[in-house]
Amino acid sequence: SRLCASAAAALILISFVAFITATKMPHLHQYEEEKFFLNARGQKETLPSIWDSPTKQLSVVVPSYNEEKRCKPDFIFLVFYLCFLQKQDPTFTYEVIVVDDGSKDQTSKVAFKYCQKYGSDKVRVITLVKNRGKGGAVRMGIFSSRGEKILMADADGATKFPDVEKLEKGLNDLQPWPDQMAIACGSRAHLEKESIAQRSYFRTLLMYGFHFLVWFLCVKGIRDTQCGFKLLTREAASRTFSSLHIERWAFDVELLYIAQFFKIPIAEIAVNWTEIEGSKLVPFWSWLQMGKDLLFIRLRYLTGAWRLEQTRKMN
C-alpha cells in the first residue's frame, strides 16, 4: 500500500508539473522576416496563408535543418519527379516549400538555387529566424502552403517520393471525408522485423517501449506514428496544426492524437524506407525526451491545461 501511495503521489506531482509548465495555447508567433519569401529575382513577397483558398493541387513541405550536404540529390529527384507528374498530366499543379529551421549552414542558399532554377511559384524557401524544432518548421510551412493536399517529406529522402501515389490512394479510399478532412500516414511497421535484426537489443527495447507508450498514452491503431511522410487534406492540416503544441520530435504523436480527437479518418500506408546516415536523433536522450513528451501530452489534455477547440487563425 505504501508503494501504491508513493506511485499515486508521484503521478499527482508529475501531473501538477505538466499542468503548470504547459503553454496554454500553441506558439503561432511569426517574426517579421518569416512573413516573406524571396522570389526567383531575390525580391520579397508576402507568404500566402492556409486560410486562403487553395491554388495548387499539392504542396510538399520539407523541413530542413543543416541539410546543405544531405538534401541535394534527393531534392533534385523530388522536383524532377513532380515535373514528370506534370508532364504526364499538364493540369497537375504543385509547389515545394523548404523550411530552413534556423540552420547554421548554407541550407537556405542551396535551396534558393532551386527557386531560381524552377521559379518561386514552384519552389519557395522559408528561413526561420530561430530553430523551432521539426514540428514547428513543418507547421510554418503548412501555414504558408497553397495546396488542396499537403505532403510532409523529410529532406534526406529516406522515404522515396513516388510513394506519395500510395498515400494518395490511401487518402482516396477513406472517402467520404468528414468536413473534407483525412490523413494518410506513411508507415515503416512492415519493415520492423528486418530492422530489429540490424539493431542492438537496447535500441530494440527502446523502440518497443516507445511504441507501448504511444499506444497506452496517446494514439491507438497506428503502428508507426513517427514516419515523416504524411499526406493531409488542406482542411485536416489547418485543423490539426492550429491546435499543435509540441514542436520537436514527438509532434507527430500529438498531431495524430488531435486528429483522433476530431475523428479525422487516418490511413496507415506501407512505404519504402531507407535509413540515412547523419540522423539528428541521439538515441537514448531523444527517446527519454520523447517519453516525457508523451506523458506530458496525455496529462496536459487530461488536466485541461491544453484544450482542443475549433480552428484558430494564425496571429
Side-chain angles (χ1 to χ4, degrees), residues 10-28:
L11 185 59
I12 291 166
L13 179 64
I14 293 167
S15 300
F16 179 70
V17 170
F19 185 85
I20 63 167
T21 57
T23 314
K24 293 294 178 189
M25 296 300 282
H27 290 299
L28 299 182

Side-chain angles (χ1 to χ4, degrees), residues 16-295:
F16 179 70
V17 170
F19 185 85
I20 63 167
T21 57
T23 314
K24 293 294 178 189
M25 296 300 282
H27 290 299
L28 299 182
H29 172 72
Q30 266 181 312
Y31 290 93
E32 201 56 36
E33 304 96 299
E34 295 170 351
K35 295 177 182 176
F36 303 92
F37 69 96
L38 294 180
N39 64 24
R41 295 185 302 280
Q43 299 162 327
K44 274 188 178 181
E45 285 190 33
T46 306
L47 283 163
S49 166
I50 192 156
W51 310 106
D52 301 335
S53 296
T55 55
K56 302 284 178 191
Q57 284 172 269
L58 180 68
S59 293
V60 183
V61 176
V62 185
S64 307
Y65 178 66
N66 294 345
E67 296 286 1
E68 177 189 352
K69 294 192 173 87
R70 285 205 307 167
C71 75
K72 285 182 192 174
D74 292 293
F75 193 80
I76 292 167
F77 177 70
L78 164 62
V79 179
F80 275 1
Y81 178 69
L82 292 170
C83 288
F84 166 71
L85 290 182
Q86 198 170 52
K87 278 181 182 167
Q88 281 193 317
D89 176 8
T91 64
F92 173 66
T93 53
Y94 69 88
E95 65 176 349
V96 180
I97 302 168
V98 180
V99 186
D100 178 353
D101 190 19
S103 296
K104 295 178 174 69
D105 66 1
Q106 303 296 310
T107 295
S108 281
K109 283 188 179 176
V110 170
F112 185 65
K113 286 177 183 172
Y114 297 105
C115 169
Q116 290 174 310
K117 183 173 181 179
Y118 296 101
S120 53
D121 188 52
K122 288 185 175 175
V123 180
R124 294 183 175 186
V125 183
I126 302 173
T127 305
L128 303 186
V129 173
K130 292 182 180 176
N131 178 267
R132 290 175 184 252
K134 185 180 175 184
V138 170
R139 181 171 58 190
M140 295 300 278
I142 279 175
F143 279 151
S144 302
S145 64
R146 296 175 288 166
E148 292 169 15
K149 292 172 186 160
I150 303 168
L151 176 72
M152 292 162 43
D154 290 336
D156 61 13
T159 311
K160 297 306 168 200
F161 297 113
D163 280 358
V164 69
E165 292 181 41
K166 294 180 184 176
L167 296 193
E168 186 110 41
K169 184 181 182 307
L171 207 61
N172 290 333
D173 288 346
L174 293 172
Q175 287 180 320
W177 304 327
D179 297 326
Q180 288 300 300
M181 295 192 295
I183 299 173
C185 298
S187 174
R188 303 157 298 181
H190 61 295
L191 303 170
E192 213 163 78
K193 283 182 184 173
E194 186 184 318
S195 68
I196 286 168
Q198 297 166 5
R199 281 183 176 153
S200 66
Y201 287 119
F202 182 61
R203 283 195 69 182
T204 301
L205 191 67
L206 285 176
M207 182 187 73
Y208 278 125
F210 178 75
H211 287 342
F212 172 76
L213 284 177
V214 169
W215 171 84
F216 183 69
L217 294 169
C218 299
V219 176
K220 305 282 193 288
I222 307 291
R223 291 175 65 203
D224 181 10
T225 56
Q226 298 310 109
C227 182
F229 201 65
K230 293 180 173 69
L231 183 68
L232 304 90
T233 63
R234 189 174 185 81
E235 292 76 8
S238 62
R239 174 70 62 90
T240 53
F241 276 90
S242 62
S243 302
L244 193 74
H245 298 80
I246 300 283
E247 291 198 308
R248 299 206 172 266
W249 297 106
F251 86 94
D252 299 84
V253 177
E254 191 195 359
L255 180 75
L256 295 173
Y257 178 90
I258 293 165
Q260 290 190 337
F261 176 88
F262 286 124
K263 296 184 168 51
I264 298 171
I266 303 168
E268 187 171 13
I269 309 296
V271 293
N272 295 302
W273 188 80
T274 313
E275 190 143 0
I276 304 293
E277 284 186 25
S279 168
K280 298 175 188 71
L281 204 60
V282 182
F284 181 71
W285 296 112
S286 296
W287 292 105
L288 208 61
Q289 176 67 43
M290 287 170 84
K292 188 207 85 171
D293 283 348
L294 294 180
L295 182 60

